Amino acid sequence: VKVITKDAEGNLSEKYTEKPAQGETVILTIDAGLQKAAETALEKRIKELTGQKGLEAAGAVAVIDVNTGELLASASYPGYDLSTYYENYSKLSSDPAAPLWNRVLQSTYAPGSTFKPLVSIAALETGTINRDTRFTCSGIFHYKDMDFACLKSHGSTNVVEAIEKSCNIYFYNVADLLGITKMNEYATAFGLGTKTGIELPEAEGVLAGIPYRESLGKLWLPGDTIQASIGQSDNLFTPLQLANYCAAIANGGKRYVPHLVKAVKSSDKTSTVLEKEPTVSAETKISPSTISIVREGMLRVITQGSLQSTFQNLKVQSAAKTGTSQTVKMVNGRAVKGNNGFVISFAPYENPEIAVAVLIENVDSGTATGKVAADIYEYYFNTMKSVVVQQPFNSLLP
């Protein structure tokens, strides 16, 4: 508190009645090296993909410790240089690419096929299917007076194969038997369409279903359940929600509250004011057999499926699920169709440590995003594990 006095002649004098004190030091869960690696991997891949369909690519990455909920890296692209933020604020705030917008926490997207492991969990836990339940994919699913398509004809498929091959028709059949209410009961347990509780402002998202549709004054139709089962319809989730949902699959069904604050130290660093303990927001109580089946399907995406070539040179075994959702954006007054690509992943497959969610807007498919996750694993399990660098207090990181 500073008192400024002005005398009759206009002279000013200043006196502190309460001197400023140095504040406490907040230690984040973010690892500077991993954060840099995530930003670099995301930017590199986006620049390789930018320009497809005449739409500008953008993206986000979230990396979570599956056993604590600590957010280890959070990258949003395009970004900005903090050291020139004030000088460039006008330009940044008017940029149509929205570099000031945090896509990890504040953007919501239809998740596409990354939702299929969740539908598998719901169907297995309710007894709607078992590991050996098969449906035949001929490429077209006839439902009432509508036809729903798959990317190809997969023939007779069980749940593990359906996750690996991302067979839409398998999940259309499952959705018809399961119903939207049960599907959403499990989606809610895994935190999809709800705020995660992280210490920063975040979007809630939307869980497609009867309550949301009624809030709009509209009806939920049977065909909507079919669409919702493959991550379409009204479903909208943040990349952070997708990472946390994947982390819960990785750790056996425990959903943590993601957090950024690791600890708070006194100004002289001699005492700890706060030590953040992991907080469980939901014990989903999913059976080990169900988790094992779903994880096996996600493993096959890496070992036999669409990400085999992308992940084949990594020293660590991982598991993943890709996803693609269709978008329509206005470009120069005309509607342009594009895709958002996703991958959710965890590693190592045995005794998982981290979960990764990657989103890239306006790309061909979720498979195209896989390289970002692979680069993150390369850093985490090689460079980061072999070289531990002490990150200093009170210094600006490069």
Side-chain angles (χ1 to χ4, degrees):
V1 177
K2 181 169 67 174
V3 177
I4 302 174
T5 304
K6 183 177 182 179
D7 62 21
E9 284 75 35
N11 299 312
L12 297 178
S13 62
E14 300 178 353
K15 182 174 70 172
Y16 281 100
T17 59
E18 184 179 337
K19 291 188 176 182
Q22 185 175 347
E24 295 164 339
T25 296
V26 177
I27 300 173
L28 300 181
T29 60
I30 296 289
D31 180 273
L34 185 62
Q35 175 71 21
K36 182 65 175 176
E39 290 179 359
T40 300
L42 181 63
E43 181 177 4
K44 179 182 177 183
R45 191 66 176 131
I46 284 176
K47 287 182 175 178
E48 291 171 350
L49 298 170
T50 293
Q52 296 180 7
K53 296 185 173 66
L55 298 169
E56 290 296 316
V61 172
V63 184
I64 287 182
D65 184 319
V66 304
N67 298 308
T68 65
E70 291 186 353
L71 186 61
L72 304 178
S74 176
S76 182
Y77 184 88
Y80 58 93
D81 187 342
L82 186 60
S83 66
T84 57
Y85 170 79
Y86 287 103
E87 307 90 288
N88 297 335
Y89 178 77
S90 295
K91 181 180 178 181
L92 291 169
S93 61
S94 61
D95 189 335
L100 299 180
W101 187 253
N102 187 332
R103 286 172 165 82
V104 175
L105 303 179
Q106 295 173 306
S107 287
T108 59
Y109 305 89
S113 295
T114 60
F115 193 59
K116 289 174 180 175
L118 183 284
V119 178
S120 302
I121 289 170
L124 288 163
E125 284 295 288
T126 56
T128 304
I129 61 170
N130 59 42
R131 193 188 193 286
D132 299 321
T133 301
R134 289 185 169 272
F135 298 107
T136 299
C137 170
S138 62
I140 297 293
F141 180 69
H142 302 289
Y143 184 76
K144 299 187 183 299
D145 59 346
M146 296 171 288
D147 287 340
F148 296 91
C150 196
L151 292 176
K152 60 187 294 186
S153 176
H154 294 108
S156 177
T157 309
N158 66 20
V159 64
V160 172
E161 295 163 343
I163 293 172
E164 174 211 333
K165 298 172 183 178
S166 206
C167 177
N168 286 348
I169 287 177
Y170 188 92
F171 291 97
Y172 295 153
N173 279 282
V174 168
D176 189 31
L177 296 172
L178 179 65
I180 192 63
T181 301
K182 278 296 180 183
M183 190 189 305
N184 284 355
E185 179 183 323
Y186 286 87
T188 299
F190 279 84
L192 295 172
T194 58
K195 292 184 178 182
T196 66
I198 198 168
E199 301 96 332
L200 294 174
E202 60 176 327
E204 183 171 12
V206 173
L207 186 58
I210 298 169
Y212 177 72
R213 193 62 66 83
E214 287 181 345
S215 74
L216 302 177
K218 299 180 180 180
L219 294 176
W220 181 261
L221 303 174
D224 294 318
T225 300
I226 305 302
Q227 286 288 81
S229 71
I230 61 167
Q232 300 279 358
S233 183
D234 299 326
N235 282 317
L236 294 171
F237 310 142
T238 67
L240 181 62
Q241 288 173 10
L242 291 175
N244 208 36
Y245 141 63
C246 184
I249 293 175
N251 68 31
K254 187 178 293 186
R255 175 162 60 90
Y256 287 94
V257 177
H259 60 279
L260 275 165
V261 176
K262 189 177 185 70
V264 179
K265 299 284 188 180
S266 61
S267 58
D268 60 3
K269 321 298 186 302
T270 60
S271 63
T272 300
V273 178
L274 170 70
E275 192 77 45
K276 191 69 172 283
E277 296 293 331
T279 302
V280 176
S281 57
E283 292 275 8
T284 63
K285 299 181 181 179
I286 304 302
S287 66
S289 62
T290 290
I291 292 291
S292 177
I293 291 168
V294 171
R295 284 177 48 161
E296 182 183 347
M298 295 176 70
L299 174 64
R300 288 175 59 140
V301 174
I302 299 294
T303 58
Q304 302 177 48
S306 60
L307 293 178
Q308 183 178 9
S309 61
T310 304
F311 283 71
Q312 64 183 354
N313 294 324
L314 294 179
K315 295 179 180 179
V316 65
Q317 182 69 74
S318 59
K321 183 70 193 81
T322 59
T324 306
S325 59
Q326 298 175 343
T327 63
V328 178
K329 295 187 178 182
M330 298 303 295
V331 179
N332 298 323
R334 65 187 181 91
V336 177
K337 293 182 179 180
N339 293 316
N340 292 333
F342 304 84
V343 66
I344 57 173
S345 179
F346 65 86
Y349 182 70
E350 302 292 345
N351 300 315
E353 296 180 24
I354 61 172
V356 179
V358 182
L359 148 82
I360 301 182
E361 298 177 16
N362 307 320
V363 296
D364 281 343
S365 69
T367 303
T369 66
K371 185 63 170 62
V372 180
D375 286 351
I376 290 170
Y377 288 144
E378 180 72 28
Y379 176 86
Y380 183 89
F381 291 104
N382 292 345
T383 306
M384 186 172 163
K385 288 290 187 179
S386 60
V387 180
V388 179
V389 179
Q390 178 65 40
Q391 297 173 19
F393 287 111
N394 301 325
S395 62
L396 184 64
L397 295 171

